[in-house]
Amino acid sequence: EIVLTQSPATLSLFPGERATLSCWASQNIRTSLAWYQFKPGQAPRLLIFATSNRATGIPARFSGSGSGTDFTLTISSLEPEDFAVYYCQQRSDWPPSFGQGTKVEIK
Amino acid sequence: QIHLMQSGAEVRKPGASVKVSCKTSGYSFSNYAMHWVRQAPGRRPEWMAGINVGNGNTYYSLKYQDRVTVTRDTPASTVYLELSSLRAEDTAVYYCTRDFDIVAAPYTFDHWGQGSLVTVSS
């Protein structure tokens, strides 16, 4: 099973700042990586699929990059609604698996 | 608008079973696979099972295959997750989620329910 490791565990930033979240895979997963946003009491939201493709309705401030084992989610300028927990997820190998998450909190 | 509405919170004793429902709307139910992902407190999300709604084929994590059953009611556009032999470690939020494209890019989850909390406690 592929293990995904995210860094940092917590990111403390001001609104308007840039957020850079990392995700490392234990094996080569090519570009088969997605990013999700989780907020308490809400339905999770798909942000990015296939490493760099924004899902429907996702603002352009969200972008994804990487390939192989190293991936990045960037939020160019944090809006108040972006403070949440973010998970990466791979579908390259079965079973699909998630990272342990990065919490983006207001500084 | 696509909507996945899950059943409410449940409390069960160890050894019991629970069945969670997920009623979908806003799209052609039979054209997409559905999955169940759970998140225990303080843990990462974990894929449990999926179903190709069109042909009824099911897919189970090896970790849960002896205890989990996923079914669908096509006229009602609803999928179900049943988990048996519950233990305290099964306390979690259970999410249903739609597969983005089961043929070209399976296991990308593009729409989610709000989650159903299942608590297992004696």
Side-chain angles (χ1 to χ4, degrees):
Chain A
E1 182 171 330
I2 292 176
V3 177
L4 298 179
T5 302
Q6 293 185 239
S7 178
T10 304
L11 203 47
S12 298
L13 295 168
F14 292 105
E17 287 194 297
R18 182 183 190 89
T20 303
L21 289 67
S22 296
C23 176
W24 288 275
S26 59
Q27 301 173 36
N28 184 350
I29 60 170
R30 299 177 300 279
T31 57
S32 300
L33 189 96
W35 291 92
Y36 301 88
Q37 180 190 68
F38 277 55
K39 292 181 177 180
Q42 296 187 21
R45 185 164 70 145
L46 172 67
L47 301 174
I48 301 286
F49 65 94
T51 295
S52 59
N53 297 276
R54 275 190 303 279
T56 303
I58 301 303
R61 64 180 181 272
F62 291 91
S63 63
S65 63
S67 69
T69 59
D70 293 1
F71 300 86
T72 301
L73 173 70
T74 301
I75 311 171
S76 60
S77 177
L78 284 164
E79 296 289 338
E81 62 269 26
D82 299 336
F83 292 93
V85 181
Y86 293 84
Y87 294 95
C88 57
Q89 176 247 326
Q90 67 82 23
R91 61 165 201 85
S92 174
D93 191 43
W94 190 91
S97 54
F98 291 80
Q100 84 278 24
T102 291
K103 181 180 181 180
V104 178
E105 65 176 23
I106 299 176
K107 193 169 183 178
Chain B
Q1 187 174 359
I2 295 168
H3 199 50
L4 280 58
M5 176 61 74
Q6 297 186 225
S7 50
E10 304 272 11
V11 179
R12 294 287 186 274
K13 294 189 183 303
S17 297
V18 69
K19 191 170 186 177
V20 181
S21 67
C22 172
K23 181 169 178 58
T24 73
S25 59
Y27 70 96
S28 179
F29 180 68
S30 295
N31 288 351
Y32 291 84
M34 293 293 294
H35 299 270
W36 290 91
V37 171
R38 82 176 194 179
Q39 187 171 29
R43 307 294 298 271
R44 67 184 70 195
E46 181 181 26
W47 177 82
M48 297 181 69
I51 183 168
N52 183 321
V53 172
N55 61 22
N57 287 347
T58 52
Y59 313 91
Y60 298 128
S61 166
L62 296 179
K63 181 177 177 180
Y64 300 104
Q65 64 178 357
D66 294 335
R67 301 195 292 134
V68 69
T69 304
V70 176
T71 55
R72 92 283 198 210
D73 179 345
T74 302
S77 299
T78 301
V79 292
Y80 301 90
L81 170 79
E82 185 166 21
L83 187 62
S84 62
S85 303
L86 289 168
R87 33 219 191 216
E89 310 86 84
D90 293 316
T91 294
V93 176
Y94 291 75
Y95 294 99
C96 63
T97 180
R98 192 184 81 161
D99 197 300
F100 178 58
D101 187 338
I102 190 65
V103 175
Y107 301 107
T108 296
F109 309 122
D110 67 346
H111 291 275
W112 294 65
Q114 82 279 13
S116 300
L117 175 63
V118 174
T119 303
V120 183
S121 173
S122 54

PDB file of all heavy atoms in Angstrom, chain B residues 80-106:
ATOM      1  N   TYR B  80     -25.961   2.284   0.006  1.00  0.00           N
ATOM      2  CA  TYR B  80     -25.933   1.930   1.427  1.00  0.00           C
ATOM      3  C   TYR B  80     -24.595   1.297   1.772  1.00  0.00           C
ATOM      4  O   TYR B  80     -24.006   0.581   0.972  1.00  0.00           O
ATOM      5  CB  TYR B  80     -27.044   0.923   1.751  1.00  0.00           C
ATOM      6  CG  TYR B  80     -28.438   1.407   1.446  1.00  0.00           C
ATOM      7  CD1 TYR B  80     -29.001   1.174   0.196  1.00  0.00           C
ATOM      8  CD2 TYR B  80     -29.183   2.110   2.380  1.00  0.00           C
ATOM      9  CE1 TYR B  80     -30.281   1.612  -0.109  1.00  0.00           C
ATOM     10  CE2 TYR B  80     -30.465   2.551   2.088  1.00  0.00           C
ATOM     11  CZ  TYR B  80     -30.999   2.311   0.840  1.00  0.00           C
ATOM     12  OH  TYR B  80     -32.261   2.760   0.540  1.00  0.00           O
ATOM     13  N   LEU B  81     -24.180   1.542   3.008  1.00  0.00           N
ATOM     14  CA  LEU B  81     -23.018   0.871   3.585  1.00  0.00           C
ATOM     15  C   LEU B  81     -23.484   0.172   4.843  1.00  0.00           C
ATOM     16  O   LEU B  81     -24.075   0.805   5.723  1.00  0.00           O
ATOM     17  CB  LEU B  81     -21.924   1.882   3.946  1.00  0.00           C
ATOM     18  CG  LEU B  81     -20.766   1.331   4.759  1.00  0.00           C
ATOM     19  CD1 LEU B  81     -19.794   0.574   3.859  1.00  0.00           C
ATOM     20  CD2 LEU B  81     -20.024   2.436   5.503  1.00  0.00           C
ATOM     21  N   GLU B  82     -23.244  -1.128   4.930  1.00  0.00           N
ATOM     22  CA  GLU B  82     -23.521  -1.860   6.153  1.00  0.00           C
ATOM     23  C   GLU B  82     -22.217  -2.415   6.704  1.00  0.00           C
ATOM     24  O   GLU B  82     -21.446  -3.053   5.978  1.00  0.00           O
ATOM     25  CB  GLU B  82     -24.510  -2.996   5.906  1.00  0.00           C
ATOM     26  CG  GLU B  82     -24.929  -3.710   7.190  1.00  0.00           C
ATOM     27  CD  GLU B  82     -26.137  -4.601   6.991  1.00  0.00           C
ATOM     28  OE1 GLU B  82     -26.432  -4.993   5.849  1.00  0.00           O
ATOM     29  OE2 GLU B  82     -26.797  -4.915   8.010  1.00  0.00           O
ATOM     30  N   LEU B  83     -21.969  -2.145   7.974  1.00  0.00           N
ATOM     31  CA  LEU B  83     -20.760  -2.608   8.654  1.00  0.00           C
ATOM     32  C   LEU B  83     -21.191  -3.438   9.856  1.00  0.00           C
ATOM     33  O   LEU B  83     -21.989  -2.973  10.678  1.00  0.00           O
ATOM     34  CB  LEU B  83     -19.894  -1.425   9.083  1.00  0.00           C
ATOM     35  CG  LEU B  83     -18.517  -1.744   9.667  1.00  0.00           C
ATOM     36  CD1 LEU B  83     -17.638  -2.462   8.638  1.00  0.00           C
ATOM     37  CD2 LEU B  83     -17.839  -0.464  10.147  1.00  0.00           C
ATOM     38  N   SER B  84     -20.670  -4.649   9.938  1.00  0.00           N
ATOM     39  CA  SER B  84     -21.075  -5.561  11.003  1.00  0.00           C
ATOM     40  C   SER B  84     -19.944  -5.756  12.014  1.00  0.00           C
ATOM     41  O   SER B  84     -18.829  -5.255  11.841  1.00  0.00           O
ATOM     42  CB  SER B  84     -21.474  -6.909  10.389  1.00  0.00           C
ATOM     43  OG  SER B  84     -20.357  -7.484   9.722  1.00  0.00           O
ATOM     44  N   SER B  85     -20.276  -6.512  13.069  1.00  0.00           N
ATOM     45  CA  SER B  85     -19.297  -6.830  14.124  1.00  0.00           C
ATOM     46  C   SER B  85     -18.561  -5.582  14.586  1.00  0.00           C
ATOM     47  O   SER B  85     -17.321  -5.547  14.649  1.00  0.00           O
ATOM     48  CB  SER B  85     -18.313  -7.896  13.633  1.00  0.00           C
ATOM     49  OG  SER B  85     -18.976  -9.057  13.218  1.00  0.00           O
ATOM     50  N   LEU B  86     -19.310  -4.561  14.902  1.00  0.00           N
ATOM     51  CA  LEU B  86     -18.719  -3.268  15.241  1.00  0.00           C
ATOM     52  C   LEU B  86     -17.871  -3.348  16.507  1.00  0.00           C
ATOM     53  O   LEU B  86     -18.186  -4.085  17.454  1.00  0.00           O
ATOM     54  CB  LEU B  86     -19.826  -2.221  15.422  1.00  0.00           C
ATOM     55  CG  LEU B  86     -20.532  -1.791  14.140  1.00  0.00           C
ATOM     56  CD1 LEU B  86     -21.796  -0.998  14.476  1.00  0.00           C
ATOM     57  CD2 LEU B  86     -19.614  -0.974  13.248  1.00  0.00           C
ATOM     58  N   ARG B  87     -16.785  -2.570  16.502  1.00  0.00           N
ATOM     59  CA  ARG B  87     -15.952  -2.415  17.678  1.00  0.00           C
ATOM     60  C   ARG B  87     -15.697  -0.937  17.904  1.00  0.00           C
ATOM     61  O   ARG B  87     -15.993  -0.118  17.043  1.00  0.00           O
ATOM     62  CB  ARG B  87     -14.648  -3.190  17.527  1.00  0.00           C
ATOM     63  CG  ARG B  87     -14.120  -3.256  16.125  1.00  0.00           C
ATOM     64  CD  ARG B  87     -13.540  -4.651  15.894  1.00  0.00           C
ATOM     65  NE  ARG B  87     -12.781  -4.710  14.660  1.00  0.00           N
ATOM     66  CZ  ARG B  87     -12.761  -5.774  13.874  1.00  0.00           C
ATOM     67  NH1 ARG B  87     -13.454  -6.849  14.183  1.00  0.00           N
ATOM     68  NH2 ARG B  87     -12.033  -5.771  12.768  1.00  0.00           N
ATOM     69  N   ALA B  88     -15.135  -0.596  19.040  1.00  0.00           N
ATOM     70  CA  ALA B  88     -14.921   0.806  19.393  1.00  0.00           C
ATOM     71  C   ALA B  88     -14.110   1.535  18.324  1.00  0.00           C
ATOM     72  O   ALA B  88     -14.350   2.721  18.050  1.00  0.00           O
ATOM     73  CB  ALA B  88     -14.234   0.904  20.745  1.00  0.00           C
ATOM     74  N   GLU B  89     -13.179   0.850  17.715  1.00  0.00           N
ATOM     75  CA  GLU B  89     -12.315   1.466  16.695  1.00  0.00           C
ATOM     76  C   GLU B  89     -13.077   1.843  15.417  1.00  0.00           C
ATOM     77  O   GLU B  89     -12.532   2.534  14.552  1.00  0.00           O
ATOM     78  CB  GLU B  89     -11.174   0.530  16.292  1.00  0.00           C
ATOM     79  CG  GLU B  89     -10.388  -0.060  17.446  1.00  0.00           C
ATOM     80  CD  GLU B  89     -11.012  -1.328  17.990  1.00  0.00           C
ATOM     81  OE1 GLU B  89     -10.749  -2.425  17.428  1.00  0.00           O
ATOM     82  OE2 GLU B  89     -11.780  -1.209  18.972  1.00  0.00           O
ATOM     83  N   ASP B  90     -14.321   1.391  15.292  1.00  0.00           N
ATOM     84  CA  ASP B  90     -15.138   1.767  14.130  1.00  0.00           C
ATOM     85  C   ASP B  90     -15.829   3.099  14.324  1.00  0.00           C
ATOM     86  O   ASP B  90     -16.515   3.588  13.411  1.00  0.00           O
ATOM     87  CB  ASP B  90     -16.183   0.680  13.838  1.00  0.00           C
ATOM     88  CG  ASP B  90     -15.552  -0.628  13.374  1.00  0.00           C
ATOM     89  OD1 ASP B  90     -14.625  -0.571  12.532  1.00  0.00           O
ATOM     90  OD2 ASP B  90     -15.998  -1.700  13.842  1.00  0.00           O
ATOM     91  N   THR B  91     -15.686   3.696  15.503  1.00  0.00           N
ATOM     92  CA  THR B  91     -16.227   5.031  15.722  1.00  0.00           C
ATOM     93  C   THR B  91     -15.559   6.006  14.755  1.00  0.00           C
ATOM     94  O   THR B  91     -14.332   6.158  14.766  1.00  0.00           O
ATOM     95  CB  THR B  91     -15.990   5.472  17.177  1.00  0.00           C
ATOM     96  OG1 THR B  91     -16.751   4.628  18.046  1.00  0.00           O
ATOM     97  CG2 THR B  91     -16.402   6.920  17.381  1.00  0.00           C
ATOM     98  N   ALA B  92     -16.375   6.626  13.911  1.00  0.00           N
ATOM     99  CA  ALA B  92     -15.820   7.457  12.839  1.00  0.00           C
ATOM    100  C   ALA B  92     -16.959   8.198  12.142  1.00  0.00           C
ATOM    101  O   ALA B  92     -18.144   7.897  12.339  1.00  0.00           O
ATOM    102  CB  ALA B  92     -15.083   6.593  11.810  1.00  0.00           C
ATOM    103  N   VAL B  93     -16.578   9.166  11.318  1.00  0.00           N
ATOM    104  CA  VAL B  93     -17.508   9.773  10.373  1.00  0.00           C
ATOM    105  C   VAL B  93     -17.389   9.005   9.062  1.00  0.00           C
ATOM    106  O   VAL B  93     -16.271   8.821   8.549  1.00  0.00           O
ATOM    107  CB  VAL B  93     -17.201  11.259  10.154  1.00  0.00           C
ATOM    108  CG1 VAL B  93     -18.139  11.835   9.087  1.00  0.00           C
ATOM    109  CG2 VAL B  93     -17.340  12.034  11.458  1.00  0.00           C
ATOM    110  N   TYR B  94     -18.499   8.555   8.559  1.00  0.00           N
ATOM    111  CA  TYR B  94     -18.552   7.788   7.317  1.00  0.00           C
ATOM    112  C   TYR B  94     -19.109   8.683   6.213  1.00  0.00           C
ATOM    113  O   TYR B  94     -20.184   9.258   6.356  1.00  0.00           O
ATOM    114  CB  TYR B  94     -19.414   6.545   7.490  1.00  0.00           C
ATOM    115  CG  TYR B  94     -18.766   5.535   8.403  1.00  0.00           C
ATOM    116  CD1 TYR B  94     -18.743   5.728   9.785  1.00  0.00           C
ATOM    117  CD2 TYR B  94     -18.137   4.402   7.896  1.00  0.00           C
ATOM    118  CE1 TYR B  94     -18.109   4.823  10.628  1.00  0.00           C
ATOM    119  CE2 TYR B  94     -17.512   3.487   8.724  1.00  0.00           C
ATOM    120  CZ  TYR B  94     -17.498   3.713  10.092  1.00  0.00           C
ATOM    121  OH  TYR B  94     -16.864   2.813  10.922  1.00  0.00           O
ATOM    122  N   TYR B  95     -18.341   8.797   5.124  1.00  0.00           N
ATOM    123  CA  TYR B  95     -18.732   9.644   4.001  1.00  0.00           C
ATOM    124  C   TYR B  95     -19.042   8.786   2.783  1.00  0.00           C
ATOM    125  O   TYR B  95     -18.282   7.852   2.473  1.00  0.00           O
ATOM    126  CB  TYR B  95     -17.598  10.582   3.594  1.00  0.00           C
ATOM    127  CG  TYR B  95     -17.200  11.622   4.602  1.00  0.00           C
ATOM    128  CD1 TYR B  95     -16.089  11.422   5.430  1.00  0.00           C
ATOM    129  CD2 TYR B  95     -17.882  12.828   4.708  1.00  0.00           C
ATOM    130  CE1 TYR B  95     -15.697  12.384   6.339  1.00  0.00           C
ATOM    131  CE2 TYR B  95     -17.495  13.802   5.613  1.00  0.00           C
ATOM    132  CZ  TYR B  95     -16.400  13.575   6.423  1.00  0.00           C
ATOM    133  OH  TYR B  95     -16.011  14.536   7.321  1.00  0.00           O
ATOM    134  N   CYS B  96     -20.111   9.139   2.076  1.00  0.00           N
ATOM    135  CA  CYS B  96     -20.276   8.611   0.732  1.00  0.00           C
ATOM    136  C   CYS B  96     -19.699   9.641  -0.233  1.00  0.00           C
ATOM    137  O   CYS B  96     -19.693  10.847   0.042  1.00  0.00           O
ATOM    138  CB  CYS B  96     -21.734   8.314   0.398  1.00  0.00           C
ATOM    139  SG  CYS B  96     -22.841   9.748   0.390  1.00  0.00           S
ATOM    140  N   THR B  97     -19.188   9.152  -1.346  1.00  0.00           N
ATOM    141  CA  THR B  97     -18.569  10.057  -2.296  1.00  0.00           C
ATOM    142  C   THR B  97     -18.682   9.480  -3.697  1.00  0.00           C
ATOM    143  O   THR B  97     -18.630   8.263  -3.893  1.00  0.00           O
ATOM    144  CB  THR B  97     -17.092  10.333  -1.906  1.00  0.00           C
ATOM    145  OG1 THR B  97     -16.507  11.224  -2.854  1.00  0.00           O
ATOM    146  CG2 THR B  97     -16.278   9.060  -1.817  1.00  0.00           C
ATOM    147  N   ARG B  98     -18.866  10.349  -4.672  1.00  0.00           N
ATOM    148  CA  ARG B  98     -19.040   9.920  -6.050  1.00  0.00           C
ATOM    149  C   ARG B  98     -17.690   9.817  -6.751  1.00  0.00           C
ATOM    150  O   ARG B  98     -16.798  10.650  -6.545  1.00  0.00           O
ATOM    151  CB  ARG B  98     -19.939  10.915  -6.791  1.00  0.00           C
ATOM    152  CG  ARG B  98     -20.415  10.417  -8.144  1.00  0.00           C
ATOM    153  CD  ARG B  98     -21.223  11.465  -8.873  1.00  0.00           C
ATOM    154  NE  ARG B  98     -20.380  12.440  -9.545  1.00  0.00           N
ATOM    155  CZ  ARG B  98     -20.795  13.233 -10.522  1.00  0.00           C
ATOM    156  NH1 ARG B  98     -22.063  13.151 -10.938  1.00  0.00           N
ATOM    157  NH2 ARG B  98     -19.976  14.108 -11.079  1.00  0.00           N
ATOM    158  N   ASP B  99     -17.558   8.801  -7.577  1.00  0.00           N
ATOM    159  CA  ASP B  99     -16.340   8.646  -8.376  1.00  0.00           C
ATOM    160  C   ASP B  99     -16.411   9.548  -9.604  1.00  0.00           C
ATOM    161  O   ASP B  99     -17.393   9.541 -10.328  1.00  0.00           O
ATOM    162  CB  ASP B  99     -16.206   7.187  -8.809  1.00  0.00           C
ATOM    163  CG  ASP B  99     -14.804   6.845  -9.272  1.00  0.00           C
ATOM    164  OD1 ASP B  99     -14.325   7.460 -10.232  1.00  0.00           O
ATOM    165  OD2 ASP B  99     -14.189   5.951  -8.653  1.00  0.00           O
ATOM    166  N   PHE B 100     -15.356  10.268  -9.834  1.00  0.00           N
ATOM    167  CA  PHE B 100     -15.279  11.229 -10.935  1.00  0.00           C
ATOM    168  C   PHE B 100     -15.429  10.545 -12.283  1.00  0.00           C
ATOM    169  O   PHE B 100     -16.202  10.995 -13.139  1.00  0.00           O
ATOM    170  CB  PHE B 100     -13.922  11.937 -10.834  1.00  0.00           C
ATOM    171  CG  PHE B 100     -13.632  12.931 -11.916  1.00  0.00           C
ATOM    172  CD1 PHE B 100     -14.470  13.999 -12.148  1.00  0.00           C
ATOM    173  CD2 PHE B 100     -12.489  12.813 -12.692  1.00  0.00           C
ATOM    174  CE1 PHE B 100     -14.188  14.933 -13.135  1.00  0.00           C
ATOM    175  CE2 PHE B 100     -12.198  13.741 -13.685  1.00  0.00           C
ATOM    176  CZ  PHE B 100     -13.042  14.794 -13.902  1.00  0.00           C
ATOM    177  N   ASP B 101     -14.740   9.449 -12.497  1.00  0.00           N
ATOM    178  CA  ASP B 101     -14.783   8.738 -13.782  1.00  0.00           C
ATOM    179  C   ASP B 101     -14.257   7.325 -13.581  1.00  0.00           C
ATOM    180  O   ASP B 101     -13.048   7.104 -13.607  1.00  0.00           O
ATOM    181  CB  ASP B 101     -13.941   9.479 -14.820  1.00  0.00           C
ATOM    182  CG  ASP B 101     -14.084   8.891 -16.226  1.00  0.00           C
ATOM    183  OD1 ASP B 101     -14.474   7.721 -16.360  1.00  0.00           O
ATOM    184  OD2 ASP B 101     -13.823   9.620 -17.199  1.00  0.00           O
ATOM    185  N   ILE B 102     -15.164   6.383 -13.361  1.00  0.00           N
ATOM    186  CA  ILE B 102     -14.778   5.016 -13.017  1.00  0.00           C
ATOM    187  C   ILE B 102     -14.015   4.339 -14.147  1.00  0.00           C
ATOM    188  O   ILE B 102     -13.250   3.412 -13.919  1.00  0.00           O
ATOM    189  CB  ILE B 102     -16.024   4.184 -12.625  1.00  0.00           C
ATOM    190  CG1 ILE B 102     -15.614   2.840 -12.037  1.00  0.00           C
ATOM    191  CG2 ILE B 102     -16.932   4.011 -13.820  1.00  0.00           C
ATOM    192  CD1 ILE B 102     -14.868   2.941 -10.718  1.00  0.00           C
ATOM    193  N   VAL B 103     -14.178   4.819 -15.380  1.00  0.00           N
ATOM    194  CA  VAL B 103     -13.525   4.167 -16.513  1.00  0.00           C
ATOM    195  C   VAL B 103     -12.132   4.752 -16.733  1.00  0.00           C
ATOM    196  O   VAL B 103     -11.139   4.040 -16.753  1.00  0.00           O
ATOM    197  CB  VAL B 103     -14.376   4.312 -17.793  1.00  0.00           C
ATOM    198  CG1 VAL B 103     -13.627   3.741 -18.997  1.00  0.00           C
ATOM    199  CG2 VAL B 103     -15.723   3.626 -17.616  1.00  0.00           C
ATOM    200  N   ALA B 104     -12.047   6.058 -16.866  1.00  0.00           N
ATOM    201  CA  ALA B 104     -10.784   6.696 -17.250  1.00  0.00           C
ATOM    202  C   ALA B 104      -9.891   7.015 -16.071  1.00  0.00           C
ATOM    203  O   ALA B 104      -8.660   6.979 -16.192  1.00  0.00           O
ATOM    204  CB  ALA B 104     -11.070   7.971 -18.030  1.00  0.00           C
ATOM    205  N   ALA B 105     -10.475   7.327 -14.933  1.00  0.00           N
ATOM    206  CA  ALA B 105      -9.659   7.766 -13.790  1.00  0.00           C
ATOM    207  C   ALA B 105     -10.358   7.412 -12.491  1.00  0.00           C
ATOM    208  O   ALA B 105     -10.775   8.290 -11.746  1.00  0.00           O
ATOM    209  CB  ALA B 105      -9.415   9.277 -13.867  1.00  0.00           C
ATOM    210  N   PRO B 106     -10.499   6.119 -12.200  1.00  0.00           N
ATOM    211  CA  PRO B 106     -11.237   5.716 -10.986  1.00  0.00           C
ATOM    212  C   PRO B 106     -10.561   6.170  -9.713  1.00  0.00           C
ATOM    213  O   PRO B 106      -9.356   6.406  -9.679  1.00  0.00           O
ATOM    214  CB  PRO B 106     -11.251   4.189 -11.100  1.00  0.00           C
ATOM    215  CG  PRO B 106     -10.072   3.860 -11.947  1.00  0.00           C
ATOM    216  CD  PRO B 106      -9.938   4.982 -12.931  1.00  0.00           C
TER     217      PRO B 106
END
